[in-house]
Amino acid sequence: MNSLKSHITLILALISILFSIFLFRVFSEIMHLYQKNIVDNYSIVIVSTSKIDSVNIPIVEKTIPIDTTKQLKTLQKKFKNIDFTKVQLPYFYKLKLKRLPSPKELKHLEERLKEKAYVKRVLTHSSSQTKIYNLLMLLNIITKTFMVIIGILGFLLIVKQLEVWKLLHNERMYIMELFGAPVWFRGAALFKIAFLNSIFALIITYVLIYFVSNSYFFNMVINELNISFNIDYLKEFGILFVIAMAISLISSILVVVAKK
């Protein structure tokens, strides 16, 4: 019974690490796609006194003229006594950005645009953009903190559990050490235990990932964010397999080479 509890403890610790890494990777990718979606739909509007092709600012990807024909027709219908074709109106442009700027970068961009002689007005929608940016950064920090805490606690728990198993094989390992047996040979039992538990943990994590990623709630969130997101299960399995084996190998070596 104690042996079974020990195995379950190690497997749960590995599952917590692997699943937290998966969640971090998924969240990072969703964040990237969501930010890209925001950037694609976000633009800065400038009013210019002359025609321009570019504002020559690195963060600005392209300058798109805004067609005001529809608006002028609406005004012409409303104010029939004014001939808008004879009125010299300013030029309107949308500035598409390469990435989502921080509030500081957005303020700096606005200042640089206002310094240009031909720019009469700049509309950045900074209030809503700042709220979105701060929310995304907060979620990113929380996710990273969560992953680090889970990773450290899980790794320490694995090492502690392997130390318990080391005590069970301590005499045999000590004799092997006296005869000059290499680390991999005298710690073969621990390596085997760690490897088998890693496989079990990996399989359970993979099944958990499949059910979570196909759940109604997960797909609802993706749809609400209006992004196209698909999980490459084979790639994720390969990454988690390498991580699981690395954790098992490193923790086992640390336990085997550690002094009493």
Side-chain angles (χ1 to χ4, degrees):
M1 182 62 71
N2 288 333
S3 177
L4 179 61
K5 287 182 179 179
S6 298
H7 283 285
I8 292 174
T9 301
L10 183 57
I11 290 171
L12 289 177
L14 276 168
I15 290 173
S16 65
I17 294 174
L18 295 176
F19 195 67
S20 65
I21 291 172
F22 166 76
L23 288 179
F24 174 74
R25 283 176 47 76
V26 167
F27 185 77
S28 297
E29 181 62 22
I30 290 174
M31 283 274 288
H32 172 73
L33 292 172
Y34 185 57
Q35 286 187 34
K36 186 177 182 300
N37 187 43
I38 292 174
V39 171
D40 290 341
N41 291 283
Y42 173 74
S43 61
I44 295 173
V45 177
I46 63 171
V47 182
S48 173
T49 56
S50 59
K51 288 185 177 181
I52 57 173
D53 295 320
S54 173
V55 292
N56 296 318
I57 297 176
I59 196 173
V60 178
E61 185 175 24
K62 55 186 175 180
T63 305
I64 306 171
I66 299 175
D67 186 5
T68 58
T69 305
K70 186 177 180 181
Q71 286 76 14
L72 285 176
K73 286 181 178 178
T74 303
L75 288 172
Q76 189 68 67
K77 289 178 181 178
K78 193 172 182 180
F79 304 98
K80 294 181 180 179
N81 58 328
I82 301 175
D83 187 2
F84 284 95
T85 58
K86 296 180 179 180
V87 178
Q88 181 61 43
L89 295 174
Y91 301 93
F92 298 85
Y93 294 92
K94 287 193 299 183
L95 305 183
K96 287 292 184 181
L97 306 182
K98 294 178 181 178
R99 56 181 174 79
L100 188 67
S102 66
K104 186 177 179 181
E105 288 175 320
L106 189 61
K107 185 178 180 181
H108 179 65
L109 174 59
E110 184 177 1
E111 290 172 352
R112 287 194 62 182
L113 288 169
K114 287 180 177 179
E115 288 173 359
K116 297 183 181 296
Y118 55 81
V119 175
K120 292 181 64 177
R121 192 176 179 189
V122 180
L123 301 174
T124 60
H125 312 289
S126 58
S127 179
S128 58
Q129 193 276 342
T130 298
K131 288 179 182 178
I132 293 172
Y133 182 88
N134 289 337
L135 177 61
L136 291 175
M137 291 304 103
L138 177 62
L139 290 173
N140 192 33
I141 291 171
I142 291 173
T143 305
K144 287 182 179 179
T145 303
F146 171 77
M147 191 198 76
V148 170
I149 292 173
I150 293 295
I152 292 173
L153 293 178
F155 185 78
L156 292 176
L157 185 60
I158 292 170
V159 171
K160 199 67 180 176
Q161 192 57 56
L162 288 174
E163 284 179 347
V164 173
W165 279 321
K166 180 184 177 182
L167 292 175
L168 298 176
H169 302 277
N170 201 40
E171 185 177 345
R172 182 174 60 82
M173 290 171 63
Y174 179 68
I175 294 172
M176 288 183 178
E177 186 178 1
L178 290 177
F179 281 95
V183 172
W184 67 267
F185 188 74
R186 64 176 185 265
L190 284 183
F191 291 137
K192 181 181 178 182
I193 291 170
F195 175 77
L196 291 176
N197 282 287
S198 294
I199 295 298
F200 280 117
L202 185 62
I203 293 171
I204 294 171
T205 303
Y206 190 74
V207 172
L208 188 60
I209 287 171
Y210 180 80
F211 280 108
V212 168
S213 61
N214 285 280
S215 66
Y216 171 78
F217 177 75
F218 183 84
N219 287 288
M220 181 185 70
V221 171
I222 297 299
N223 291 331
E224 285 293 324
L225 293 176
N226 195 29
I227 59 175
S228 178
F229 177 74
N230 295 300
I231 297 175
D232 187 341
Y233 292 102
L234 186 61
K235 179 182 177 181
E236 293 301 325
F237 182 83
I239 291 172
L240 293 180
F241 176 81
V242 172
I243 292 172
M245 293 303 107
I247 291 173
S248 299
L249 183 62
I250 293 171
S251 57
S252 299
I253 291 174
L254 288 175
V255 171
V256 172
V257 300
K259 299 296 180 182
K260 294 181 183 180

